[in-house]
Amino acid sequence: MVAITPSIVVVFAIILLALVFFATEPVPVDITALGVMVTLMLVQPASEWLVSANLLAEPIMLFDPYPRQALSGFASTATLTVLAMFILSEGVQRTGVVQLLGAKISSFTGNSESRQLGATIGVVAPISGFINNTAAVAILLPMVSDLAERGGTSPSKLLLPLSYASMFGGTLTLIGTSTNILASDLSGRLINRPFTMFEFTELGLIVSVVGTVYLLTVGRWLTPERIKPRRDLTEEFEMSDYLTEVTVRSDSPLIGQRVQRALVETEFDVDLIQLIRDGQVFLEPLGPKEIQAGDVFALRTDRDTLVELLDVEGLDIVPNVTVDEAELEAGEAGQNLVEIVVAPGSSLIGESLASASFRQRYNATVLALRRGEELIRRRMDNISLRVGDTLLIQGATDSIERLDNNRDFIVAQEIERHDYREEKIPVALGIVLLVVALAALNIVPIVVSALAGALAMVVTKCLRPPELYDAVQWDVIFLLAGVIPLGIAMENSAAAALLAEFVVMTGDFLSLVGVLAVFYLVTALLTNVISNNASVVLMIPVAVDTAETLGANTFAFILAVTFAASTAFMTPVGYQTNLFVYGPGGYRFTDYLRVGAPLQLLFAAVTTVGIAALWGVTPPA
């Protein structure tokens, strides 16, 4: 029986506080992880002061050596491998090979929803096995949205399967997700058995086939059509009551004033979208232009504000004009109207359109904001932005192209780009295949082959040196570095062993396969409310201690936790890819439970039985 010590109490207190922060996200999860790491490091010096004041019998030692173990997350092979994989994924993305593949697919899917759904799953799942699945969804989201538009299908029917398929596709190889890489590092440290490149590919294939069949049948029936098939973005965002054109009367007090002062810096809830003068359409920046009689402005505002604006500013409504996508795309030859999704790690998270000076910074106007199924088309300036928020943007073609290149956003439509390095496709793919081969054949460890591959992407000019830093999702890197010490503290303090004792009690009335299923379900539920990487760090030490106490196969228990942490289907916050599609799909929070809960239970059964059959639940002879 593990005795409850001050060390265990402190570690559990930090874990509970971390869980609350991970679940509620008052600050980003990577900041929470760093806070956990710093708090753990402060425990020892604080306890030494308490000992000197005769308030504590002995100091609390969570790390040995201190503070090197607490900082080991930054030097972890898992952290460095994930960093390198982001760079490799970016090198492949810059060639445009995935976009070319998407164009080929759209040529035969037509208007068949079944073929579109099959193509979406069939493309993202295998790709997610070899490039980071978060990157795979970010790349493919515009392709799938356009696939739905061209085929007259609701994007809601395709985007949730896109996210789910990327998750189970990530279970095909070691490098499919950061979760796999972290779990491999923990497995190597705890039982001296890291994962090989294709360690669980057989089970990953089984899971992927089961997941694909589910999404094509039961999942397709359960997935709602939240957004109607559309040909016009203004219809999709229900903008008909919020878009209008007005003309400046000859007696208007606005004549001679600059647009910025007269119509932008006002108390009215109004946005100027474009100016039409003498048949010519002007887009942002409109602020410096001087207003003339006869100018026609396209506006975003509500009916009540429009009535007040007409009366005060000397404007008239232009009759018999519908401000739709065609009208808003008339300014330039390229695209002027698109949806953009706020990406994880975006500098705009927690900011509002006003505080971020969005209009001035990007030379674009936000016409509407969609958060899940909620549509906001007025008083948007002071709403704090979140990951997954979808903005309807109107701007000049070069502004849209800059947004497409900005890592703060994912543009949800295909943008015609000329900066893909298509001549580097064989080189980039060759580098990734070589990285996989070197690790799979155990010639060098995965961290070495991945870092060498990242360097090769620069040497071969698949990537330019400055692009290396943009390629890395630094929030994920800091999250990993911050949560790894928590797992070490759990082991060193015996907190993991104490938790294992409670789980072992289930062995009195459950078989080893039943206890394995319990670990899968607990990890899956945990992953749906906190970070998948945090779930792995918390659950793998407990799984190892439980398996050792029960005389079970520790590797089998580690695999159950790994697979469960990689498949968070039941909430939009459980996995980054779920947030990617939340706004563009117009989903409700409950849609994830409706479609994802049956899939989660199905995977619990399939994964548990698969692990028992392939690796056994008792230690190998």
Side-chain angles (χ1 to χ4, degrees):
M1 184 74 180
V2 176
I4 298 178
T5 63
S7 296
I8 290 177
V9 172
V10 168
V11 169
F12 276 135
I14 293 172
I15 289 173
L16 288 173
L17 188 61
L19 288 176
V20 170
F21 272 68
F22 279 132
T24 59
E25 286 198 48
V27 294
V29 292
D30 53 312
I31 302 301
T32 296
L34 283 177
V36 167
M37 182 187 72
V38 171
T39 303
L40 288 168
M41 285 195 295
L42 291 174
V43 167
Q44 183 172 325
S47 69
E48 290 173 348
W49 180 84
L50 291 172
V51 169
S52 67
N54 295 319
L55 297 174
L56 193 66
E58 58 183 29
I60 297 173
M61 307 291 290
L62 299 180
F63 301 106
D64 184 23
Y66 174 88
R68 187 182 302 168
Q69 271 195 334
L71 297 169
S72 60
F74 286 102
S76 164
T77 56
T79 306
L80 295 174
T81 303
V82 170
L83 183 147
M85 292 311 302
F86 280 133
I87 295 170
L88 288 170
S89 297
E90 180 70 8
V92 173
Q93 181 180 347
R94 291 280 179 175
T95 67
V97 63
V98 179
Q99 287 78 2
L100 289 173
L101 180 62
K104 297 289 184 184
I105 288 168
S106 65
S107 64
F108 74 86
T109 54
N111 58 1
S112 168
E113 184 183 307
S114 298
R115 288 202 297 266
Q116 292 167 2
L117 185 57
T120 297
I121 298 168
V123 171
V124 75
I127 286 176
S128 296
F130 293 93
I131 69 172
N132 182 274
N133 56 358
T134 305
V137 171
I139 296 168
L140 291 172
L141 192 151
M143 181 207 83
V144 174
S145 296
D146 282 0
L147 205 65
E149 180 185 352
R150 287 194 291 267
T153 301
S154 166
S156 309
K157 302 293 283 186
L158 301 181
L159 292 178
L160 198 57
L162 171 71
S163 175
Y164 287 174
S166 76
M167 279 187 257
F168 58 66
T171 65
L172 291 170
T173 70
L174 169 62
I175 60 175
T177 72
S178 60
T179 311
N180 296 346
I181 295 169
L182 178 57
S184 176
D185 184 64
L186 290 168
S187 182
R189 180 160 55 81
L190 294 174
I191 66 170
N192 198 31
R193 185 179 174 181
F195 303 156
T196 60
M197 179 61 67
F198 300 108
E199 183 87 57
F200 41 75
T201 299
E202 188 176 356
L203 180 58
L205 285 170
I206 294 169
V207 165
S208 295
V209 169
V210 170
T212 300
V213 171
Y214 172 85
L215 291 176
L216 290 173
T217 54
V218 177
R220 178 181 174 186
W221 174 66
L222 290 174
T223 304
E225 187 180 285
R226 294 296 177 204
I227 296 176
K228 299 299 179 185
R230 58 92 179 166
R231 293 288 180 183
D232 191 303
L233 276 172
T234 59
E235 284 183 19
E236 181 180 319
F237 281 80
E238 301 173 16
M239 297 297 299
S240 58
D241 291 336
Y242 294 87
L243 296 177
T244 190
E245 284 188 358
V246 298
T247 184
V248 181
R249 296 201 306 260
S250 57
D251 61 345
S252 170
L254 300 179
I255 294 173
Q257 297 186 44
R258 296 193 183 276
V259 169
Q260 179 72 27
R261 180 176 178 80
L263 290 173
V264 176
E265 297 174 354
T266 69
E267 295 182 0
F268 291 114
D269 177 31
V270 61
D271 285 313
L272 269 65
I273 305 169
Q274 60 187 24
L275 162 65
I276 304 170
R277 178 180 291 170
D278 299 326
Q280 187 175 358
V281 179
F282 297 93
L283 303 174
E284 288 287 349
L286 296 174
K289 294 193 178 297
E290 191 173 286
I291 298 172
Q292 300 177 10
D295 282 349
V296 175
F297 289 104
L299 306 177
R300 191 276 325 151
T301 191
D302 61 87
R303 296 289 185 188
D304 293 339
T305 304
L306 179 61
V307 170
E308 190 176 355
L309 192 67
L310 295 174
D311 183 53
V312 172
E313 304 294 4
L315 305 173
D316 288 327
I317 294 177
V318 178
N320 303 319
V321 171
T322 301
V323 183
D324 55 13
E325 185 169 344
E327 179 76 6
L328 297 178
E329 290 279 13
E332 298 178 0
Q335 284 181 280
N336 302 139
L337 190 70
V338 295
E339 294 175 84
I340 63 171
V341 183
V342 179
S346 170
S347 62
L348 271 74
I349 295 172
E351 296 278 359
S352 66
L353 297 176
S355 66
S357 301
F358 187 94
R359 188 183 187 112
Q360 296 77 15
R361 190 170 170 185
Y362 300 107
N363 277 340
T365 305
V366 178
L367 306 184
L369 185 155
R370 184 166 56 219
R371 180 170 290 165
E373 66 168 340
E374 183 185 8
L375 268 176
I376 304 169
R377 288 151 299 188
R378 60 191 302 272
R379 303 289 177 191
M380 296 174 286
D381 284 353
N382 296 313
I383 295 174
S384 293
L385 297 174
R386 303 177 189 168
V387 175
D389 282 350
T390 302
L391 308 176
L392 180 61
I393 299 291
Q394 203 265 359
T397 300
D398 60 346
S399 297
I400 301 299
E401 289 174 355
R402 284 197 300 274
L403 287 169
D404 190 38
N405 290 323
N406 192 315
R407 289 315 176 97
D408 286 340
F409 311 106
I410 302 166
V411 176
Q413 287 87 36
E414 290 279 8
I415 302 295
E416 186 176 351
R417 293 175 58 173
H418 306 287
D419 59 345
Y420 289 130
R421 297 154 196 167
E422 295 182 17
E423 72 282 359
K424 297 292 183 182
I425 289 177
V427 179
L429 294 180
I431 290 170
V432 173
L433 289 175
L434 188 59
V435 167
V436 171
L438 288 173
L441 296 172
N442 289 322
I443 296 172
V444 294
I446 179 62
V447 64
V448 177
S449 66
L451 287 170
L455 179 62
M457 284 290 184
V458 179
V459 171
T460 58
K461 298 184 179 180
C462 293
L463 285 175
R464 300 187 182 100
E467 292 170 348
L468 283 176
Y469 304 97
D470 291 335
V472 178
Q473 290 184 20
W474 293 104
D475 56 330
V476 175
I477 299 302
F478 279 92
L479 171 63
L480 288 171
V483 296
I484 286 172
L486 183 57
I488 295 172
M490 286 181 66
E491 298 157 41
N492 292 348
S493 67
L498 182 62
L499 284 175
E501 283 190 352
F502 289 106
V503 180
V504 166
M505 294 177 186
T506 63
D508 294 337
F509 53 89
L510 290 176
S511 65
L512 288 180
V513 174
V515 179
L516 189 71
V518 167
F519 263 99
Y520 183 98
L521 290 170
V522 170
T523 305
L525 290 172
L526 194 61
T527 302
N528 276 285
V529 292
I530 70 169
S531 159
N532 50 331
N533 291 316
S535 298
V536 161
V537 167
L538 291 172
M539 293 302 295
I540 282 183
V542 181
V544 170
D545 284 342
T546 301
E548 289 175 348
T549 304
L550 292 172
N553 183 353
T554 53
F555 190 69
F557 277 68
I558 288 172
L559 285 176
V561 171
T562 303
F563 270 72
S566 296
T567 50
F569 302 125
M570 296 193 295
T571 68
V573 298
Y575 210 86
Q576 285 186 334
T577 59
N578 284 348
L579 280 174
F580 280 2
V581 301
Y582 186 48
Y587 298 114
R588 297 175 183 170
F589 193 97
T590 53
D591 292 336
Y592 290 82
L593 195 62
R594 174 183 172 184
V595 184
L599 183 58
Q600 199 91 65
L601 291 172
L602 182 62
F603 272 23
V606 170
T607 304
T608 303
V609 172
I611 290 172
L614 294 172
W615 287 276
V617 291
T618 56

